Amino acid sequence: MPTRERLTVQEFKDWLKQFDTNCDGQISRKELREAIRRRGARFAGLRALFAVRRADKNRNGVVDDSEVEHLIELAERELGFMITDTAVPPPPARPCATDSPSPRGYTVY
């Protein structure tokens, strides 16, 4: 399973665009298969087939920009993405144990 990667919806759309080989603004099953392969998931062809069927609401055989959001479930469940509506700040840094005073009141360096 690929490592979990945090992305916003827009970052996910931008990531998908790199697989739009014919630059038509739509993701075909073949293009989605390549994206799934690059993430290291198995059975990329079948996953792409089912994902396009689920996401392609107007049944034209491709996923256009208005339908990309339907691919988010696949991306989170099977491709290791964590997709949010807004940018997620990194977790706060934990203080180092040596940054706190010692039990006797001395600062440890």
Side-chain angles (χ1 to χ4, degrees):
M1 178 65 146
T3 58
R4 302 291 282 175
E5 184 176 343
R6 289 178 185 241
L7 295 175
T8 63
V9 172
Q10 186 58 50
E11 290 169 334
F12 175 67
K13 288 179 179 182
D14 292 342
W15 176 80
L16 268 180
K17 284 180 188 176
Q18 70 181 313
F19 301 101
D20 183 13
T21 56
N22 59 359
C23 300
D24 64 352
Q26 302 171 328
I27 300 295
S28 68
R29 184 169 51 107
K30 181 180 175 183
E31 292 165 338
L32 185 58
R33 181 183 67 210
E34 182 59 27
I36 293 170
R37 277 188 185 151
R38 292 266 181 95
R39 285 297 290 177
R42 296 175 53 178
F43 309 110
L46 283 174
R47 290 175 195 262
L49 172 71
F50 294 131
V52 168
R53 281 187 183 171
R54 275 182 266 147
D56 182 21
K57 298 302 179 187
N58 63 4
R59 301 291 181 226
N60 64 350
V62 293
V63 179
D64 58 38
D65 195 51
S66 66
E67 298 167 330
V68 166
E69 294 196 17
H70 299 289
L71 291 177
I72 289 175
E73 180 184 333
L74 164 86
E76 290 181 323
R77 186 182 65 239
E78 299 181 21
L79 301 182
F81 286 116
M82 292 176 64
I83 300 174
T84 62
D85 291 334
T86 58
V88 178
R94 293 183 48 194
C96 181
T98 59
D99 290 342
S100 61
S102 70
R104 294 191 177 124
Y106 301 110
T107 303
V108 180
Y109 293 99

